[in-house]
Amino acid sequence: MKHGIHPAYGPVVFRDKAAGFAFLTRSTATSDTTTDWEDGNSYPVIDVEISSRSHPFYTGTARVLDTAGRVERFERRYGRREAR
């Protein structure tokens, strides 16, 4: 890699306030706010709206939509499209 053209890559804490969950990882994202981590060091913190702890797909609370019923309702309203 060329020196001086890439952003700084360092430890960052991502915090999901909705789920009360935070994790330490490495990223090029930066922030002016910092937080004290479990190891006693201070790291930049980035607040996110959704993480693996609050996303319905990962928590198992995702709902399956009835797409077959939607198609049938559309065909009743507007008619079935003829085969080409």
Side-chain angles (χ1 to χ4, degrees):
M1 292 190 338
K2 287 186 177 180
H3 292 283
I5 64 168
H6 299 286
Y9 183 70
V12 177
V13 173
F14 286 92
R15 179 174 53 192
D16 181 0
K17 287 191 167 189
F21 173 66
F23 59 94
L24 177 65
T25 187
R26 294 177 54 96
S27 176
T28 59
T30 59
S31 175
D32 294 332
T33 58
T34 60
T35 186
D36 294 325
W37 193 244
E38 300 158 354
D39 62 2
N41 294 329
S42 181
Y43 298 107
V45 63
I46 297 176
D47 292 323
V48 294
E49 294 181 17
I50 297 176
S51 71
S52 60
R53 289 277 174 100
S54 61
H55 194 280
F57 180 79
Y58 294 106
T59 59
T61 59
R63 296 180 297 183
V64 177
L65 296 176
D66 181 24
T67 57
R70 289 182 180 190
V71 171
E72 291 168 358
R73 188 171 59 224
F74 178 84
E75 288 176 349
R76 275 192 310 235
R77 263 190 211 161
Y78 302 108
R80 178 172 273 251
R81 191 172 183 191
E82 293 185 26
R84 291 183 180 187

